[in-house]
Amino acid sequence: MFISQSSLLANNLPQLSYGVAVVDVDQDGAFELFVAGYSFPNKVLKWDGKLFVNIADSTLADNGRQAIGVAACDFDGDGREEIYVLNTDTFAGRKQFGDRLFSFFDGEWYDLFSLPRNLEAVNQTAGRSVACIDRLGRGRYGFFVANYGGPMRLYELNPDGFLVDVAEEAGVSLITGGRSLLCGPLVSERMDIFAANENGSNFMFRNQGDGTFVEVALELGLDDPYEHGRGVAALDTGSENGFGMVYGNWEGPNRLFYQDKNGHFVDFAPPTLSKPSTVRTVIVADFDNDGFEEIFFNNIGEPNRLFGWRNEGWYSIPIGDAVEPYGMGTGAAIGDFDGDGRLELLLSHGEQYQQPLSLYGTVNNGNSWLRILPRTRAGAPARGALVTLAAGGRIQRRIIDCGSGYLCQMEPVAHFGLGTTAEVDWVEIRWPDGAIATLDRPAARQLLQVSPPTR
C-alpha cells in the first residue's frame, strides 16, 4: 500500500516527537503538520511544492517543553484556528509544565495561558490527548483535555474573554487514566465525546442538546473496563445505524465496533485485527481511493498493521514501506498536502529513543475521489461536521476530525475515494448547529470548500 516519501522531509533529524495535528498555521489556505516535540522544538511542516520545510517560529517551537498532544480549532470565533499543545512531564497527576494555547493576534502568536487573567486556569495535570468540541452548536469550539490522574478539562472563552474550565457544569469532569479522544455525532445528532481510558472504564459522553453531557459507555457496551485504550477513530460501516468505532488497546484486544439498531455497540473484530500489540495511533481512511476505508494501526517497537474491507470482511492487507518493524511510533496524521487527491501519512517517533519522522504516500491507481472542506460561518474548518456522499449506488459518511488517533488530529477534510465511479449523485453537509447544505452532482477529482447556508 504505502511507499516511502521521507526524502521529502527537509532537515529531518532524529528527535523525540509525539502528537501531530493538521492545521493551516500560516492562514494561506493550505494545511501544515504541527508536530509536538518532547524536550525538542515543535515543528510546523509546510509543503513548498518540493519539500516539507519547518516554518515554526520561536513561539510555536517552544523549545524545552515536553509536548505530546496537540489539536486545533477556532476557539474565539474569529475564523482562524487556535492550537492547543498538551505538555506532560510526568506519568500521572500534577505536572511541572502547564499546557499552551496558541492564538494569533496582531501578527504574532501568543500563549493565552500565559496572560495574567488566565493563569489560574492553566492545566497542571498530566494529560495525553486533546480534542475540540462545539457543545452548543454555535461555531465556537472548546478544547477537551483527557487528563491522567486528575479531572478532565473543557476550556472555553467566557463573555469577558477569560479562559474558563466548564467541564464540571458540562458534566464531563471525571477522573481516570485518560488516553485518547474522539468527538462528533457518534450517538446523537450533536457532538458527543468518546474517551478511551487506561486502568478504568471508557467514557461515552452523549450530548443532551443543552450544553451538558451524560455518560453512557456501560449502557452502550463501550466501557471495556479491563483494557487500556489508545488510539480511536470513527468508522463508516455502511450501516444506517450510525458510525462504528475502532480503537486499540495497549497489549490487549483491539475493538471494531458496529452499532446495532438499538444504538448498542457490538465488537466484530476478527482475530487478526483484535490481536494485541503495542498500539498507539489508529487511523481510519481511504488510502487507495477504492471507496472503502482502511484501518491503520501504528505500533511502537513492532511492525505496524493495515486492514482493508475485502470480500465482505476485514482482512490484513500488505502495508508496504510503512511496516516500520523497528519504528518507535508515537503519533500519526493524514492529509493531502500536494493536492493530488491521494492521502499522505506522517508518522512521528519517540518515547524510548530519538528517530526522524517518516512520510508515506500511495501509488496512483487511477481511482477517482472527492474532498469536502466545510467551513464555519466565520470561515474556520467546521470540525465535527457530518458529510454524506452518494455515488455508485452507495452511501459514504465522514466526520470532520476534531482530534483522534491518540495525541493527534487529522486534516479537517472529508476525503472520499470513488473507485472507478466517475459521477457523484449528491453530497450533504450537516454542521454542528444543525444547518444543512446539499451539493447536486458535484464533479469528482476536486476539493470543494462549503460554507453553511445563510440564516
Side-chain angles (χ1 to χ4, degrees):
M1 176 72 76
F2 295 106
I3 55 175
S4 177
Q5 296 180 340
S6 296
S7 62
L8 300 178
L9 298 168
N11 301 315
N12 186 26
L13 300 176
Q15 71 170 59
L16 301 179
S17 302
Y18 274 77
V20 183
V22 181
V23 53
D24 185 1
V25 174
D26 59 6
Q27 202 72 354
D28 69 345
F31 292 104
E32 288 79 47
L33 290 145
F34 188 107
V35 182
Y38 190 87
S39 297
F40 284 83
N42 302 323
K43 293 182 176 181
V44 176
L45 302 181
K46 182 176 184 62
W47 175 248
D48 69 0
K50 295 181 180 179
L51 296 171
F52 285 89
V53 296
N54 183 17
I55 63 167
D57 65 12
S58 60
T59 300
L60 294 183
D62 205 18
N63 195 10
R65 288 281 175 135
Q66 294 169 321
I68 62 170
V70 59
C73 61
D74 188 3
F75 185 70
D76 56 11
D78 67 350
R80 184 169 190 155
E81 293 193 306
E82 280 67 46
I83 304 170
Y84 193 111
V85 179
L86 196 156
N87 292 285
T88 295
D89 49 65
T90 186
F91 181 78
R94 187 167 180 82
K95 61 188 179 184
Q96 178 181 356
F97 294 115
D99 299 339
R100 301 291 201 192
L101 208 177
F102 294 115
S103 182
F104 194 83
F105 177 73
D106 199 22
E108 296 184 67
W109 288 97
Y110 294 89
D111 172 28
L112 296 183
F113 278 124
S114 68
L115 300 179
R117 66 174 183 266
N118 296 325
L119 290 178
E120 292 186 3
V122 175
N123 179 36
Q124 293 292 161
T125 302
R128 295 299 183 273
S129 294
V130 56
C132 54
I133 177 86
D134 182 1
R135 64 184 177 115
L136 295 168
R138 58 180 182 173
R140 293 180 61 171
Y141 295 84
F143 284 103
F144 187 88
V145 183
N147 276 332
Y148 199 116
M152 302 284 192
R153 299 272 192 159
L154 177 52
Y155 288 107
E156 294 179 352
L157 278 181
N158 70 11
D160 296 320
F162 285 64
L163 277 171
V164 292
D165 176 17
V166 298
E168 185 172 354
E169 69 179 67
V172 296
S173 61
L174 303 186
I175 298 176
T176 188
R179 282 289 181 175
S180 62
L181 297 169
L182 182 65
C183 299
L186 303 170
V187 293
S188 76
E189 291 188 350
R190 293 182 175 270
M191 291 189 71
D192 311 300
I193 305 169
F194 175 75
N197 299 319
E198 183 172 82
N199 294 318
S201 297
N202 298 328
F203 301 146
M204 172 59 86
F205 297 108
R206 176 189 284 150
N207 194 322
Q208 300 191 93
D210 59 359
T212 66
F213 298 82
V214 58
E215 205 285 298
V216 294
L218 175 61
E219 174 187 333
L220 299 183
L222 291 169
D223 54 317
D224 217 2
Y226 305 112
E227 301 301 333
H228 308 295
R230 291 300 190 270
V232 58
L235 174 70
D236 177 14
T237 64
S239 169
E240 296 180 354
N241 297 328
F243 280 93
M245 192 180 304
V246 55
Y247 67 83
N249 280 315
W250 178 262
E251 297 187 324
N254 302 313
R255 307 300 187 189
L256 178 60
F257 282 112
Y258 283 42
Q259 287 192 63
D260 64 20
K261 63 181 180 180
N262 298 314
H264 193 271
F265 285 80
V266 181
D267 187 7
F268 281 95
T272 53
L273 191 148
S274 65
K275 179 183 176 181
S277 68
T278 52
V279 64
R280 305 301 290 263
T281 312
V282 175
I283 294 177
V284 172
D286 188 353
F287 290 105
D288 57 7
N289 285 345
D290 68 347
F292 297 90
E293 293 176 308
E294 285 77 49
I295 301 172
F296 173 79
F297 285 88
N298 183 24
N299 294 314
I300 183 168
E302 64 179 87
N304 299 325
R305 297 155 66 191
L306 185 68
F307 298 88
W309 180 255
R310 306 288 188 269
N311 301 317
E312 302 301 314
W314 288 99
Y315 294 92
S316 177
I317 61 176
I319 192 172
D321 293 342
V323 63
E324 293 198 354
Y326 306 108
M328 307 307 295
T330 49
I334 56 169
D336 177 16
F337 301 98
D338 57 10
D340 66 358
R342 304 195 309 277
L343 295 171
E344 287 82 53
L345 170 67
L346 184 86
L347 303 184
S348 62
H349 311 93
E351 187 168 306
Q352 298 184 22
Y353 57 82
Q354 302 170 32
Q355 288 183 334
L357 304 169
S358 299
L359 180 71
Y360 299 97
T362 59
V363 176
N364 186 359
N365 56 15
N367 283 340
S368 192
W369 50 274
L370 181 66
R371 292 166 52 77
I372 306 295
L373 170 52
R375 297 283 187 180
T376 65
R377 298 185 190 281
R383 297 188 185 268
L386 172 63
V387 184
T388 305
L389 174 145
R394 295 182 56 240
I395 301 292
Q396 297 187 56
R397 294 177 301 166
R398 305 284 188 267
I399 297 173
I400 303 301
D401 193 63
C402 299
S404 65
Y406 185 48
L407 313 175
C408 300
Q409 185 183 52
M410 310 301 126
E411 64 169 356
V413 179
H415 179 90
F416 295 99
L418 301 175
T420 59
T421 300
E423 296 183 354
V424 175
D425 298 325
W426 51 264
V427 173
E428 180 187 271
I429 303 99
R430 191 182 78 203
W431 281 262
D433 66 357
I436 294 176
T438 302
L439 308 177
D440 185 41
R441 296 192 176 280
R445 298 182 181 273
Q446 65 173 323
L447 169 67
L448 291 175
Q449 301 192 44
V450 186
S451 298
T454 304
R455 289 173 175 169

